[in-house]
Amino acid sequence: MADGVCAEAVVARLALHLQTGIRAAELAKIVLDIVPSNARDAERLQEIAGLLRRKPDVFATLRATGAAVRHTRDDGETGAAVVTRLASSFDAAAAISETASVQLASLGDEERLSATTDEVVAWLKQQDFSGTRRDILDIGCGIGRFEHALSNSFNRMIGIDISSRMISIASERCAALGNVELRQTSGLDLSEFDDGSFDCVLAVDSFPYLVLAGMAEGHFDEIARVLKRPGWLALLNYSYRGSLSWDRADIGRLAEAHQMRVVINGEKPFRSWDGEAFLLARGGGTLLRAASSDVEPEAPKIGTDPKEEIMAPAARKIGCGKQHGDERGLDRNLVKSDQYQDHAADQAPKNAVTPCPLPAA
């Protein structure tokens, strides 16, 4: 609860990270046995325990959905192999729960997911991200929730995902939308798109999986290539390393390398989701916000212990974000992962496949 996230996110984190076979009712009792430090904590503990007691089956579903996606990288596992494994994992998670697979904190509830989606959409519109003359690429579109929610706010939107099941679900949900196109992608690059094809690129809880696969830097190259001038990138959750300063440092370095300006630098603007928001601008054009950076990023030290504990958000695709994932990902949750061997681990060799992304939303 230390992050101040909502009760639903706490329950999702418990489901994702508790390794024991404890049941929801037992966990609710443990929660109520905690001695709160203040009245607000007491209220939140009651709320968390209430969710566990009222939705014991949901807790089991969250655990199964979260367990479908592994957020570690095996020794010697290539980036392409990671992407292939994640694609199958996202398929499996969506088969358990379509809604929870893109956001565990939705507790598998369609209304909760819609509320979070609407909040993110409102934030995007506030930043003047969408527009009826703009073409948007959604990397890691998941079940197509943003395509559906934004359908009246863009000229054309293409959603791509590595999960065949999620693309199938998204296709059904968006069948009546003539300005939406959904494609299953290899997750290796954006070679199917021409230079300067899009006004905006959206990536909600997909970059953490690109970081895991060592493809985040290569994908930045691709995004810069397909963006028009001016162009905008909205990136919600960069990694699950649990260090905002590291993420800010990486994004600042990549933005400078691609002549992009960081407009919003890792803020947490959402009430129902703990995602960290970054907004970048490329080329000319203006946005509503001036560049923000209230915390000077501290570059991670080379040689970080590869076994260090990593926090993962409870958001989109499971990972607590997309899958963890989203709306697959859970913020600030401990995940032991040798994917983050050091600050340079995010960089893919020039000949490595670049990403595309993950399911989760």
Side-chain angles (χ1 to χ4, degrees), residues 14-206:
L14 291 171
L16 183 64
H17 298 294
L18 280 181
Q19 301 301 315
T20 67
I22 189 171
R23 296 180 180 179
E26 298 172 291
L27 186 56
K29 185 178 184 303
I30 293 173
V31 170
L32 292 176
D33 285 341
I34 296 173
V35 178
S37 59
N38 54 56
R40 174 55 181 153
D41 280 352
E43 181 181 330
R44 295 183 68 207
L45 289 167
Q46 289 284 347
E47 188 177 2
I48 293 164
L51 286 173
L52 291 166
R53 285 176 165 173
R54 293 194 305 272
K55 300 179 179 293
D57 295 337
V58 168
F59 187 69
T61 298
L62 295 181
R63 298 187 75 166
T65 306
V69 181
R70 180 163 57 86
H71 290 77
T72 58
R73 185 169 177 174
D74 297 331
D75 292 339
E77 189 177 23
T78 66
V82 172
V83 171
T84 299
R85 169 167 59 81
L86 287 172
S88 298
S89 298
F90 294 146
D91 286 347
I96 296 170
S97 171
E98 294 181 9
T99 306
S101 71
V102 296
Q103 185 184 353
L104 283 184
S106 70
L107 305 186
D109 183 85
E110 190 72 40
E111 290 187 6
R112 288 183 188 274
L113 180 62
S114 295
T116 301
T117 301
D118 291 345
E119 187 178 9
V120 174
V121 166
W123 179 83
L124 290 171
K125 291 181 177 180
Q126 181 183 6
Q127 311 312 322
D128 195 29
F129 181 80
S130 59
T132 55
R133 294 185 178 181
R134 291 180 178 174
D135 294 334
I136 301 175
L137 174 65
D138 181 12
I139 299 173
C141 65
I143 61 175
R145 61 196 182 104
F146 289 108
E147 283 70 15
H148 194 275
L150 281 167
S151 60
N152 294 323
S153 304
F154 54 78
N155 176 53
R156 178 185 62 140
M157 189 168 186
I158 297 180
I160 57 176
D161 206 288
I162 59 174
S163 168
S164 60
R165 180 178 285 272
M166 287 189 168
I167 286 294
S168 177
I169 295 169
S171 297
E172 292 182 10
R173 292 187 174 217
C174 300
L177 303 178
N179 59 345
V180 169
E181 181 181 347
L182 298 158
R183 304 181 187 179
Q184 183 181 1
T185 182
S186 68
L188 304 182
D189 56 42
L190 300 178
S191 59
E192 60 196 287
F193 303 113
D194 294 333
D195 296 358
S197 298
F198 300 98
D199 301 283
C200 305
V201 172
L202 176 65
V204 181
D205 257 336
S206 55

Side-chain angles (χ1 to χ4, degrees), residues 318-333:
I318 305 189
C320 235
K322 184 176 204 161
Q323 256 110 124
H324 300 355
D326 204 73
E327 266 170 44
R328 291 165 193 171
L330 288 170
D331 183 30
R332 301 277 192 277
N333 296 320

